[in-house]
Amino acid sequence: MADHRNANGQPPNGTATGSGSIYSINLENFSKRLKALYSHWNEHKSELWGSSDVLAVATPPPSEDLRYLKSSALNIWLLGYEFPETIMVFTKKQVHFLCSQKKASLLEVVKKSAKEAVGVDVVMHVKAKSDDGTALMDAIFRSIRAQYKGVENDAPVFGYIAREALEGKLLETWAEKLKSATFQLTDVTNGLSDLFAVKDKEELMNVKKAAYLSYNVMNNVVVPKLENVIDEEKKITHATLMDETEKAIVNPQLAKVKLKPENVDICYPPIFQSGGEFDLRPSAASNEQNLYYDSASVILCAVGARYSSYCSNIARTFLIDASPLQSKAYEVLLKAHEAAIGMLKSGRKISAVYLAALSVVEKDAPDLIPNLTKSAGTGIGLEFRESGLNLNAKNDRVVKAGMVFNVSLGFQNLQCESNKSKNRNFSLLLADTVIVGEQNEEVVTGKSSKAVKDVAYSFNEDEEEEENSVKAETNGSDTFMSKTVLRSDNHEISKEELRRQHQAELARQKNEETARRLAGGSGTGDNRSVAKTSADLIAYKNVNDLPSPRDFMIQIDQKNEAVLLPIYGSMVPFHVATVRTVSSQQDTNRNCFIRIIFNVPGTPFSPHDSNSLKNQGAIYLKEVSFRSKDPRHISEVVQQIKTLRRHVVARESEKAERATLVTQEKLQLAGNRFKPIRLFDLWIRPPFGGRGRKIPGTLEVHVNGFRYSTSRADERVDIMFGNIKHAFFQPAEKEMITLLHFHLHNHIMVGNKKTKDVQFYVEVMDVVQTLGGGKRSAYDPDEIEEEQRERDRKNKINMDFQSFVNRVNDLWGQPQFNGLDLEFDQPLRELGFHGVPYKASAFIVPTSSCLVELVETPFLVVTLSEIEIVNLERVGLGQKNFDMTIVFKDFKRDVLRIDSIPSTSLDGIKEWLDTTDLKYYESRLNLNWRQILKTITDDPQSFIENGGWEFLNLEASDSDSENSEDSDQGYEPSDIEPESESEDDDSDSESLVESEDEEEEDSEEDSEEEKGKTWEELEREASNADREKGHESDSEEDRRRRKMKTFGKSRAPPSSAIRKRSKLR
């Protein structure tokens, strides 16, 4: 954490400057805020700035302690990030910087902006490493005295931050020089506080991002963890919960938040308190005691996150089997907290905020007033607690639009009667981050609910029911509603029920969205490949170009790519591309035959192309055979034709693929503009062609794209930023490789391969095979040393890749790339599952925007925003595996099937799909999706009118079947006739649900009677049923054929335990 806490500000946006730095100061912000500083200083000089003529701000060296300093805040606010061991002195005519050479070179760029903004000159005083800075300080003092020479008071008033201790040799020397000088000193803390109080749009956006991270950590990390611990009665310390929550803040992907980790940090270590020991201050610590969650216990959780050094805060109280006093106290606190937030209006006094909360407590629970906190929070921003903006009863400052407050209110040290010592003392706390707007306030952490029903838990349901019934009989008051009845089967809103409710809402939204899309005609474009057209095949332009025949035998012309065949005394040329197959064989008389089969346009495997359409009515030679006594010559001819044909087909295929490529912009090399960011010794997939030894290459970042190249001149790939759809970074954990993967909008050529996925990787471990069958000891020093080397190598490679990714993310964060929305995404391994997307089992992992498998080829990259619905098939009934079918918004695109997913992953996948707002359905059998999508696109209006995707809803189908015999038919397009007695084999094969018993339409009573019957008995009954329905003419062979066809199509195993779903036609 030290690196986060020391580097208090984010790296500023900008291009590279001298000395190899990739950072520069945002000059637009600098000019605007320098002007605001001087304007505020001049306007409020006497009341807030202590009548100071000079402002001196000294920033101490970096520290591992988490602290908030006015000097650091001014650095970040004005310059974009912190400058440790730097002294800034502001006068009416000059701004002095005393710092090291490296910092001075970065600050050089502000000279022109400062002159244009407020008319001051920037003077740099560069301190050498061995210098204590005394001479430079004297020079600053001489310059200040010269400016005020001849004024009434020759000694100007010197403003500084009195409350900050000056640390480090440089600042200690500065403090001594300042005291020994003849200047009058005054404190300017109030002036800086008022300057920072009202935030601009960029600052408010940073606060909103910090609040977004805070409430997502609370909702997606803290609450699920607490529920799991309480439900399973686990033992976990407050400190452990603190550590896990802190990891989620500094790595936002763990909280399902897409923010750059280098821009975020904690405001304070997360606070977890329970068991009677409570401290409502942000400086409180999470102790090593176990979380206490017995009946009538209270758990306090507080989370503070920073984004680009701007703070946010959220605190919640969770009640376990709350006592009447706890319930009452929380309801009063919630009402008081809402009243305080409601008073944060522009133009009102700050004291009114606390008084509003106090009046609620006085009215509803006057006995709790002594326990109420003495303030309702503070201002928040670059500092967690902004001085001068304390929300107490004595602060008469005025609330202004653009201010941000941490509204924190609580009851401290409440007492209740209990036999358990840990339950006697409890405290309550609520905190939210609030932005004051022009008209209304905005609670930016409000998406984490603090309503009673969402924070109160109950798992002693029997006792609760008895108590509630007694209460209802005695006083008729409302019962205290709890969020979730943990470990209870009665009257609970379980996770599954909440998920079901959310899925029902998603189904409604999805059907509305699909209806709009189908009505607009989108989503019906055909992405499938069309028949290839070949170029004109010309072997010889005229007869004179034919080579003179040496012998009257088959010849191969390698130069003109032709096969010359002796036919009726003439050598007839055929372009090798017209040859489909060539083979040879030998008979019993030692005669050898060569057989050549040609492509004939118009046949099933050779559709018409542009050449055949030009010559309609032409007669084509289908095949030709020759006999020879020379088997060696025959085999040579066959081999030469095959080799030549393979070469020509590969060339033409590559040419055709290149012809369909979208023209890319040209790569602009970095040149002298900045030093390219490089990553060395990478392998590429797909690999370059060729038979030579493969060699690694280097990936470079240039102005508008990446370039990968090896030492071979022809092995080079350019990837434009504008063509990147998704970028992934996957460090090696349980895999053998660390990789960067780019999924592109349009295909590019890698060697002679056309691809949309390009990957660069490094193997983190060498594949070593130990010779000799003996096992090595786990304590073998050589084995231990080798494992340590492998770990070190893996960690170094992962760190190199991470550094590269961070620098590229910084580059993509610059204004010129805003429209591309690019950022490296990292797979979330904890959400991964095994499945078979193609032919082999693989570990499939979600990211924030995709579902990917990047280790095995072919790669899998599915964009979540392109998914229409997900159908989970073969679910339940004791199945060990199930399948996932992904239906895309483009209905002409084939669905993606992921087979053989372990059933143990089902709940995790459902939870992930639900949290990403993807609608999913479940079915017991595999569906014929090509037929379903064709039916939908043929008649979208009927699909919409019949409830859209709800025909997949198993629960709806099962409940409807009780009321109507035909309701189990599901979705039926209106232009298809309902089932009649004359239905034949073709209608059976067009069923959208493939089941082994498609011919049978027996009722539930019949299926009950059939349990335990043999196949022969079932066959006889089916035959009798067919005769009654008019199928007497069907032969035994026809029925067997239909049955085998159905068995062949069905993916589910034949089992009487599988409940049959009716056909969807």
Side-chain angles (χ1 to χ4, degrees):
M1 291 302 301
D3 52 340
H4 280 282
R5 294 167 188 171
N6 295 342
N8 213 13
Q10 81 172 106
N13 294 334
T15 55
T17 59
S19 74
S21 172
I22 64 169
Y23 304 126
S24 67
I25 294 167
N26 188 325
L27 297 179
E28 183 181 350
N29 272 353
F30 172 78
S31 300
K32 179 176 66 176
R33 292 177 181 175
L34 185 66
K35 193 181 294 183
L37 169 63
Y38 273 86
S39 174
H40 193 278
W41 182 15
N42 292 330
E43 189 176 344
H44 304 283
K45 182 176 179 181
S46 57
E47 66 267 31
L48 294 176
W49 296 91
S51 300
S52 59
D53 301 304
V54 179
L55 302 181
V57 179
T59 311
S63 169
E64 290 190 5
D65 296 331
L66 192 58
R67 59 184 183 177
Y68 296 95
L69 303 173
K70 281 279 189 297
S71 54
S72 299
L74 181 63
N75 278 198
I76 298 165
W77 181 79
L78 186 62
L79 300 168
Y81 60 108
E82 188 177 4
F83 283 79
E85 291 190 284
T86 300
I87 298 171
M88 297 188 293
V89 180
F90 300 87
T91 69
K92 301 300 181 184
K93 296 181 180 179
Q94 291 178 326
V95 178
H96 297 267
F97 288 96
L98 196 163
C99 56
S100 65
Q101 176 62 57
K102 193 171 183 179
K103 298 186 185 80
S105 62
L106 188 58
L107 290 166
E108 281 289 334
V109 295
V110 305
K111 288 185 175 180
K112 183 179 178 182
S113 299
K115 190 71 174 175
E116 292 174 351
V118 292
V120 298
D121 295 318
V122 175
V123 183
M124 295 292 173
H125 304 272
V126 180
K127 184 185 81 69
K129 283 188 178 180
S130 57
D131 187 10
D132 63 357
T134 303
L136 299 174
M137 295 173 194
D138 290 336
I140 293 174
F141 292 156
R142 283 196 300 271
S143 175
I144 293 171
R145 289 192 179 97
Q147 288 184 43
Y148 288 91
K149 192 173 184 180
V151 184
E152 291 183 15
N153 184 3
D154 282 351
V157 179
F158 222 93
Y160 75 112
I161 304 172
R163 301 175 191 175
E164 285 188 12
L166 299 180
E167 305 170 2
K169 186 177 179 182
L170 176 67
L171 269 62
E172 288 172 358
T173 305
W174 170 256
E176 292 172 3
K177 296 289 291 183
L178 202 56
K179 288 178 182 177
S180 62
T182 57
F183 302 125
Q184 180 184 344
L185 301 180
T186 185
D187 186 15
V188 294
T189 301
N190 291 338
L192 289 171
S193 296
D194 197 65
L195 178 66
F196 298 150
V198 178
K199 277 77 175 172
D200 58 31
K201 288 183 179 179
E202 184 178 334
E203 292 179 284
L204 292 178
M205 182 53 67
N206 288 335
V207 171
K208 288 180 180 179
K209 289 181 178 179
Y212 176 68
L213 176 57
S214 292
Y215 77 71
N216 272 288
V217 169
M218 183 66 75
N219 290 348
N220 299 331
V221 178
V222 174
V223 173
K225 183 66 178 179
L226 290 178
E227 289 180 350
N228 178 262
V229 169
I230 296 171
D231 194 31
E232 299 184 9
E233 299 184 1
K234 296 179 180 177
K235 289 186 178 181
I236 188 170
T237 65
H238 299 127
T240 303
L241 288 168
M242 176 195 72
D243 291 337
E244 292 184 9
T245 306
E246 183 172 330
K247 287 177 183 177
I249 295 175
V250 298
N251 187 4
Q253 285 189 331
L254 297 178
K256 303 173 186 176
V257 173
K258 193 175 180 181
L259 291 175
K260 296 179 181 178
E262 60 268 25
N263 288 344
V264 303
D265 198 1
I266 60 171
C267 294
Y268 55 85
I271 298 172
F272 290 85
Q273 298 177 349
S274 66
E277 297 181 15
F278 298 98
D279 184 353
L280 302 188
R281 295 173 298 175
S283 57
S286 301
N287 59 34
E288 294 291 340
Q289 299 295 319
N290 284 333
L291 185 72
Y292 184 76
Y293 46 83
D294 275 5
S295 181
S297 59
V298 172
I299 301 173
L300 297 190
C301 304
V303 174
R306 287 196 290 174
Y307 182 85
S308 296
S309 297
Y310 284 83
C311 300
S312 68
N313 187 47
I314 183 172
R316 294 290 182 262
T317 299
F318 300 98
L319 309 174
I320 312 298
D321 287 328
S323 68
L325 174 61
Q326 291 171 341
S327 305
K328 177 68 174 176
Y330 186 85
E331 289 172 343
V332 173
L333 178 64
L334 178 60
K335 190 175 178 181
H337 192 254
E338 293 293 348
I341 292 174
M343 290 301 292
L344 283 172
K345 307 282 187 188
S346 180
R348 290 180 176 166
K349 289 186 177 181
I350 286 178
S351 57
V353 177
Y354 183 76
L355 294 175
L358 183 62
S359 65
V360 171
V361 181
E362 286 176 340
K363 179 182 177 182
D364 294 350
D367 53 320
L368 298 181
I369 290 176
N371 303 95
L372 184 66
T373 52
K374 302 308 176 186
S375 82
T378 61
I380 192 170
L382 286 167
E383 299 173 280
F384 185 76
R385 285 175 286 192
E386 292 186 335
S387 55
L389 295 180
N390 199 352
L391 299 176
N392 57 32
K394 300 177 181 179
N395 194 339
D396 290 331
R397 290 184 64 179
V398 177
V399 177
K400 298 177 184 177
M403 287 183 172
V404 183
F405 291 93
N406 167 32
V407 183
S408 178
L409 198 67
F411 288 126
Q412 178 81 45
N413 295 327
L414 294 172
Q415 302 293 323
C416 66
E417 295 180 4
S418 175
N419 297 327
K420 299 178 181 178
S421 59
K422 290 188 175 183
N423 286 353
R424 290 172 192 156
N425 180 55
F426 70 94
S427 298
L428 305 176
L429 177 66
L430 288 175
D432 275 305
T433 305
V434 182
I435 295 176
V436 180
E438 295 288 347
Q439 302 296 330
N440 298 308
E441 72 284 351
E442 180 183 359
V443 185
V444 288
T445 52
K447 288 191 177 181
S448 179
S449 177
K450 56 193 173 188
V452 175
K453 65 183 180 64
D454 292 322
V455 299
Y457 293 82
S458 174
F459 53 87
N460 287 340
E461 66 276 4
D462 296 333
E463 295 175 11
E464 183 185 82
E465 287 173 6
E466 291 174 7
E467 290 173 4
N468 288 343
S469 63
V470 171
K471 287 180 185 177
E473 291 173 4
T474 54
N475 55 22
S477 61
D478 294 335
T479 58
F480 185 67
M481 298 300 294
S482 63
K483 174 185 177 184
T484 307
V485 185
L486 299 174
R487 284 176 267 126
S488 166
D489 296 327
N490 301 318
H491 311 296
E492 71 173 11
I493 303 177
S494 63
K495 280 188 178 181
E496 183 65 30
E497 179 62 27
L498 291 172
R499 193 161 64 207
R500 190 178 293 113
Q501 292 174 5
H502 185 223
Q503 284 292 307
E505 176 62 20
L506 286 178
R508 184 187 64 77
Q509 295 174 5
K510 179 58 63 179
N511 284 329
E512 290 176 359
E513 176 195 329
T514 306
R516 287 194 299 271
R517 197 170 67 250
L518 290 175
S522 61
T524 57
D526 194 345
N527 287 344
R528 294 189 180 124
S529 59
V530 296
K532 297 178 182 178
T533 59
S534 60
D536 291 336
L537 301 175
I538 301 175
Y540 303 101
K541 293 185 178 179
N542 61 59
V543 180
N544 296 326
D545 293 338
L546 266 69
S548 55
R550 297 186 299 274
D551 296 310
F552 204 61
M553 56 198 306
I554 300 174
Q555 298 178 23
I556 312 299
D557 187 347
Q558 300 280 355
K559 181 180 178 182
N560 293 294
E561 300 172 350
V563 180
L564 290 91
L565 304 178
I567 300 176
Y568 293 115
S570 300
M571 297 300 291
V572 181
F574 294 84
H575 195 282
V576 74
T578 64
V579 176
R580 183 176 159 197
T581 60
V582 57
S583 60
S584 63
Q585 61 182 23
Q586 191 171 359
D587 63 10
T588 54
N589 296 326
R590 296 189 178 181
N591 290 321
C592 291
F593 294 88
I594 182 170
R595 184 186 183 193
I596 302 175
I597 301 175
F598 296 95
N599 290 313
V600 179
T603 58
F605 295 101
S606 299
H608 284 287
D609 57 16
S610 56
N611 289 322
S612 62
L613 293 175
K614 290 178 188 175
N615 306 302
Q616 294 186 4
I619 298 174
Y620 294 92
L621 181 63
K622 186 175 182 181
E623 68 174 85
V624 62
S625 297
F626 293 90
R627 185 179 62 186
S628 172
K629 292 286 188 181
D630 186 355
R632 188 178 63 178
H633 175 67
I634 288 290
S635 66
E636 287 178 359
V637 167
V638 169
Q639 190 61 39
Q640 287 178 6
I641 293 175
K642 285 184 177 179
T643 303
L644 181 59
R645 183 180 178 279
R646 192 184 310 118
H647 170 72
V648 171
V649 168
R651 188 195 64 213
E652 292 298 321
S653 175
E654 181 181 346
K655 189 186 296 183
E657 288 183 345
R658 288 186 182 276
T660 60
L661 294 176
V662 176
T663 304
Q664 303 288 331
E665 59 181 314
K666 189 175 181 182
L667 184 70
Q668 300 176 27
L669 299 179
N672 296 325
R673 278 178 276 191
F674 64 90
K675 186 178 180 181
I677 307 168
R678 290 187 173 92
L679 201 56
F680 300 95
D681 297 327
L682 302 179
W683 301 95
I684 186 172
R685 291 198 291 186
F688 293 110
R691 298 179 179 275
R693 185 175 64 87
K694 302 293 186 295
I695 55 176
T698 301
L699 184 65
E700 298 178 343
V701 183
H702 291 278
V703 175
N704 63 336
F706 296 93
R707 168 165 288 178
Y708 174 82
S709 58
T710 70
S711 56
R712 296 185 182 127
D714 59 334
E715 293 186 349
R716 188 172 73 186
V717 176
D718 292 343
I719 303 174
M720 301 299 110
F721 292 156
N723 193 30
I724 297 175
K725 188 174 182 180
H726 300 293
F728 304 101
F729 162 52
Q730 182 169 307
E733 291 186 20
K734 296 181 180 179
E735 302 84 10
M736 298 285 288
I737 61 173
T738 295
L739 61 89
L740 300 178
H741 188 98
F742 299 102
H743 183 65
L744 310 179
H745 289 286
N746 301 304
H747 291 84
I748 63 171
M749 298 298 294
V750 177
N752 58 358
K753 300 180 185 69
K754 181 180 175 184
T755 183
K756 265 191 177 181
D757 290 279
V758 184
Q759 186 178 108
F760 306 99
Y761 69 95
V762 170
E763 294 180 351
V764 296
M765 282 185 276
D766 298 324
V767 179
V768 178
Q769 183 177 3
T770 304
L771 299 177
K775 292 184 178 179
R776 299 177 66 174
S777 169
Y779 302 100
D780 186 347
D782 293 338
E783 186 80 6
I784 295 171
E785 185 179 351
E786 184 179 326
E787 289 178 359
Q788 185 60 42
R789 278 199 306 269
E790 288 179 350
R791 280 194 295 271
D792 293 343
R793 171 179 163 81
K794 181 172 75 172
N795 292 337
K796 182 180 183 306
I797 290 172
N798 287 344
M799 288 175 62
D800 290 344
F801 272 68
Q802 184 69 65
S803 174
F804 178 86
V805 165
N806 291 342
R807 295 176 69 188
V808 174
N809 280 338
D810 288 339
L811 181 66
W812 283 343
Q814 295 182 10
Q816 63 266 36
F817 299 118
N818 285 346
L820 299 179
D821 191 26
L822 289 176
E823 185 179 4
F824 275 99
D825 208 351
Q826 193 164 329
L828 305 170
R829 289 190 59 90
E830 61 273 15
L831 301 178
F833 56 90
H834 289 277
V836 183
Y838 299 111
K839 293 183 179 179
S841 179
F843 188 63
I844 302 164
V845 191
T847 72
S848 59
S849 60
C850 294
L851 183 66
V852 302
E853 192 286 304
L854 305 175
V855 177
E856 304 295 335
T857 54
F859 304 120
L860 173 70
V861 179
V862 180
T863 306
L864 299 185
S865 60
E866 296 176 358
I867 294 176
E868 174 76 4
I869 61 161
V870 175
N871 195 47
L872 306 176
E873 303 177 349
R874 295 196 301 117
V875 172
L877 302 171
Q879 298 279 2
K880 291 184 179 179
N881 301 298
F882 68 96
D883 306 326
M884 177 194 290
T885 299
I886 297 174
V887 182
F888 297 98
K889 292 180 179 178
D890 179 4
F891 290 163
K892 293 296 182 182
R893 182 177 172 184
D894 284 334
V895 300
L896 172 69
R897 293 182 56 85
I898 301 176
D899 295 330
S900 302
I901 304 171
S903 295
T904 52
S905 302
L906 181 61
D907 284 340
I909 289 175
K910 284 183 182 178
E911 185 68 24
W912 167 68
L913 291 171
D914 192 59
T915 53
T916 51
D917 290 338
L918 284 174
K919 175 59 187 167
Y920 67 84
Y921 292 94
E922 297 180 43
S923 64
R924 298 188 182 95
L925 299 172
N926 295 107
L927 307 185
N928 185 352
W929 281 101
R930 183 162 291 185
Q931 182 66 29
I932 292 176
L933 296 180
K934 183 178 184 301
T935 306
I936 293 173
T937 52
D938 287 347
D939 188 2
Q941 187 60 36
S942 179
F943 168 73
I944 295 166
E945 291 174 354
N946 284 278
W949 293 110
E950 284 306 289
F951 75 90
L952 293 170
N953 192 340
L954 261 181
E955 294 178 1
S957 300
D958 292 343
S959 61
D960 292 346
S961 64
E962 297 175 3
N963 303 323
S964 171
E965 182 179 337
D966 298 328
S967 62
D968 201 32
Q969 298 295 324
Y971 161 61
E972 294 185 8
S974 59
D975 62 338
I976 296 181
E977 292 294 324
E979 182 180 355
S980 66
E981 292 185 352
S982 60
E983 183 174 309
D984 57 12
D985 297 345
D986 294 334
S987 64
D988 285 347
S989 65
E990 290 173 1
S991 168
L992 302 187
V993 178
E994 298 168 0
S995 168
E996 64 201 36
D997 295 322
E998 281 182 289
E999 299 84 28
E1000 297 177 11
E1001 297 291 332
D1002 300 329
S1003 64
E1004 281 189 24
E1005 291 86 272
D1006 294 333
S1007 63
E1008 289 292 331
E1009 293 172 2
E1010 288 171 359
K1011 288 184 179 178
K1013 294 181 180 180
T1014 65
W1015 283 108
E1016 288 76 16
E1017 291 172 339
L1018 292 174
E1019 191 75 13
R1020 280 197 300 273
E1021 291 182 9
S1023 178
N1024 294 333
D1026 285 342
R1027 288 195 199 93
E1028 292 174 4
K1029 292 181 180 181
H1031 287 296
E1032 293 89 352
S1033 60
D1034 285 5
S1035 66
E1036 185 69 17
E1037 182 179 351
D1038 290 336
R1039 287 195 295 275
R1040 190 182 300 110
R1041 176 173 55 79
R1042 279 205 309 275
K1043 182 178 176 182
M1044 292 308 294
K1045 182 194 293 186
T1046 308
F1047 268 95
K1049 284 166 48 178
S1050 176
R1051 299 174 62 91
S1055 171
S1056 60
I1058 299 179
R1059 289 185 58 190
K1060 182 188 70 173
R1061 288 194 68 196
S1062 300
K1063 296 178 286 184
L1064 303 182
R1065 299 177 183 82

